[in-house]
Amino acid sequence: MHKLISELTRLYLFEEQQHYVDAQGGTQPLMPAVLARHLSGEQTVAVRLVSEGGLTRALVLEFGGKGGGEAHWSALCMIANAVQHELDLPAPAVSISGTAFQLWLSLATPVPVAQARQFVQLLRSTFLPASTDILAAAPPADVEQVALPPCLQPSGKWAAFIHPSMGAAFVDEPGLDMAPPPAAQLGFLESLRSINAAQFAQALAKLQGHTGLLDAVPAPVAAPFPAVMSQPLAQPGLLLQDATLEDIVRWLHARNIEPTLRHRLP
């Protein structure tokens, strides 16, 4: 559990904003013991992703609502692939919340919440078809507080990070009946990299250029970004929805993770 907490902190939290909203609506320090109970399903808390100074380093995009699971997953794939292939950013994490799909972008340097919201809105307007208005474009509640996966939701379903190619299996019900293995959750996160300040600025400029907010898009920054995986799941250019079960198992085995597919029979 300690390693999982370390990875979540590395990617999405920073000391000044590690607070949660308690049952009375106030904020309390998010101590390691509280986070451990949250991750184990003993006490689910809403983690604040914004510091008192109005900064955030976690951009959470939610795709969900009643019905339309396949459309929600398709929209997530469009955004996730655009983040990597059009904006040259590190791969985001993917999670299921119990009711929706979520895409997690990690920033190495915190940015103002208003800038984070603009970035997410531009992602939506640039890469989703005009008729696909199913992305909850990070309204304030989604940006500022979230039940950090893995955790037990009030519905009895577990929220969890998933391998990006597993989403199609959750289009009808984006949640787990049982707690996910901590080792698998760690495996999904430990190879992820945060978006550095130069990459974020370049990507934001590209998005603004697409919508005419800039007269010109600056030249790409000459700095390589780290590979998210040490080896591809399968052939080059693999999209999120294209990997096979064998691809997923091979990826997990490469990280010494034994996959466990558990379902409750009706």
Side-chain angles (χ1 to χ4, degrees), residues 83-84 86-91 105-109 111 119 193-207 218 220-228:
V83 164
Q84 297 171 79
E86 300 295 331
L87 300 180
D88 295 326
L89 297 177
L105 281 72
S106 168
L107 303 179
T109 303
V111 300
F119 185 88
R193 298 293 179 266
S194 297
I195 301 168
N196 66 41
Q199 289 173 324
F200 182 78
Q202 177 184 322
L204 181 59
K206 284 184 179 180
L207 291 171
V221 177
F225 68 86
V228 173

Side-chain angles (χ1 to χ4, degrees), residues 61-88:
L61 289 69
E62 187 163 283
F63 304 76
K66 291 186 177 180
E70 291 185 6
H72 296 312
W73 176 245
S74 177
L76 181 147
C77 289
M78 285 189 231
I79 295 293
N81 286 311
V83 164
Q84 297 171 79
H85 303 304
E86 300 295 331
L87 300 180
D88 295 326

